[in-house]
Amino acid sequence: MEDQHTLQNQENDESLTVTVEQHLQARCKQMSRDIMSQAKVLTTSLNNQFEAGKEELWAAHESAKATVTSQTNPATTPAIKCNVNITIRGGPHDGLTALLAPRLKKDCFVGRSTGKKFKDKGLSLSKDLEVSTTHGKFELNKDGGVYFTDIGSTNGTFLDEVGVEEGEPLRLPVDGVLEIRVGASVMVCTLESS
């Protein structure tokens, strides 16, 4: 009987004998299972956070869109209208008067051109050879202000005999006069509500 017990112990010892390689492989498999389990938990958590963030962004987008729509809706926003009275002093058009009506995105152009947008909706100074073909424009801005901007004239635009940078808008005063020289012509500009 003693021999049989010894034989069973030897068999048990052999079944418990594991090489280092087998132990490491078993440990790697267990670690791999643990990592995959943690990855699934993290993936689920991140997906939930993503969906919540996406819903929050859509809600913010819809709120901003509603705000912009209410601010730009013609039914709720009064139309801004302001006319520019111009009297020309000096140059070949001395004494000429004009009433321009710039509107949002509908500028009134000033230049030597005799084209329709100058004669009908802008100011044509065709006899002043110092004025560029398309010299500048009067524009109504969203803030309600009316501006004159030199749009690349050859001989420039002057305010109090000081050159104005191309593209630099000059705001017309609400209760005053602005004198802008283009070529030999001085535009004496005042605003009037329409």
Side-chain angles (χ1 to χ4, degrees):
M1 180 136 174
E2 195 175 297
D3 288 337
Q4 191 177 11
H5 182 56
T6 304
L7 185 61
Q8 283 179 346
N9 281 343
Q10 285 177 347
E11 285 176 5
N12 286 342
D13 285 345
E14 286 176 11
S15 66
L16 293 176
T17 304
V18 177
T19 65
V20 172
E21 182 180 355
Q22 291 170 330
H23 173 72
L24 290 175
Q25 285 177 348
R27 186 70 184 126
C28 283
K29 285 180 183 178
Q30 182 58 44
M31 289 174 68
S32 178
R33 284 190 294 270
D34 292 346
I35 289 171
M36 291 305 291
S37 175
Q38 288 176 354
K40 285 180 183 177
V41 170
L42 287 173
T43 300
T44 302
S45 174
L46 288 173
N47 280 334
N48 291 340
Q49 289 176 13
F50 174 75
E51 290 300 322
K54 188 166 75 171
E55 287 177 20
E56 187 178 327
L57 281 173
W58 273 113
H61 170 75
E62 291 301 321
S63 174
K65 188 170 130 181
T67 301
V68 168
T69 301
S70 71
Q71 290 175 350
T72 58
N73 185 347
T76 60
T77 305
I80 301 170
K81 293 184 179 180
C82 194
N83 295 331
V84 181
N85 282 311
I86 300 174
T87 302
I88 301 295
R89 222 179 42 219
H93 296 281
D94 190 31
L96 176 71
T97 60
L99 180 64
L100 303 183
R103 298 294 177 254
L104 288 174
K105 298 183 181 181
K106 294 182 181 176
D107 303 334
C108 295
F109 290 90
V110 175
R112 199 173 68 243
S113 175
T114 56
K116 186 175 181 174
K117 74 177 181 179
F118 292 88
K119 288 186 125 185
D120 295 346
K121 298 177 184 175
L123 180 61
S124 175
L125 301 172
S126 60
K127 296 176 188 172
D128 190 339
L129 301 180
E130 296 295 313
V131 174
S132 292
T133 304
T134 303
H135 198 100
K137 65 181 179 178
F138 285 94
E139 58 188 326
L140 179 63
N141 201 324
K142 289 180 184 177
D143 67 4
V146 177
Y147 297 83
F148 179 80
T149 306
D150 183 304
I151 53 176
S153 67
T154 303
N155 294 321
T157 298
F158 298 86
L159 180 64
D160 298 324
E161 293 308 313
V162 176
V164 175
E165 290 289 322
E166 175 185 337
E168 179 185 332
L170 300 172
R171 185 176 181 134
L172 277 65
V174 175
D175 294 321
V177 176
L178 188 65
E179 294 187 8
I180 305 167
R181 184 169 66 79
V182 293
S185 305
V186 175
M187 298 185 295
V188 180
C189 308
T190 57
L191 292 179
E192 86 174 22
S193 295
S194 60

